[in-house]
Amino acid sequence: MSELRDAVSRLRRALAGHPAPLPDRDVAEDELAALDAMARAGDPEISRLRRSLLLVAGAVGSVSALSPALTEVRHAVDAFAPPPAPREGT
């Protein structure tokens, strides 16, 4: 869980330091706080982790300056809760 907490912290700092206005900055900050709280609690619900990651990615995903920190968060979520295996026939 420390990997997720560290990655979330880095993205929060990068987002705080990003000078351009982002229409969904509040959404990203709220979801990063939720991810941090789940990591601190120690037993997060996997679907909630993924939902928060999706909302954060939607809010900041197009900002190239935040991409490396967002990628770290995605990898940390994937390490804790790997993506589901593809269904047969898809």
Side-chain angles (χ1 to χ4, degrees):
M1 288 314 240
S2 66
E3 180 184 351
L4 179 57
R5 287 178 54 206
D6 292 346
V8 166
S9 179
R10 282 188 285 276
L11 182 52
R12 287 173 102 174
R13 284 192 308 272
L15 182 59
H18 188 69
L22 299 173
D24 293 326
R25 182 183 295 262
D26 291 341
V27 171
E29 290 171 349
D30 289 347
E31 291 305 318
L32 287 169
L35 281 167
D36 185 59
M38 286 185 275
R40 288 179 188 278
D43 190 22
E45 184 180 327
I46 293 172
S47 63
R48 181 68 174 110
L49 279 175
R50 292 185 199 290
R51 180 183 177 276
S52 289
L53 176 62
L54 181 61
L55 289 169
V56 171
V60 303
S62 65
V63 180
S64 61
L66 300 175
S67 182
L70 178 60
T71 298
E72 286 183 45
V73 172
R74 183 180 61 81
H75 287 301
V77 168
D78 286 349
F80 181 74
R87 290 187 284 165
E88 193 173 310
T90 55

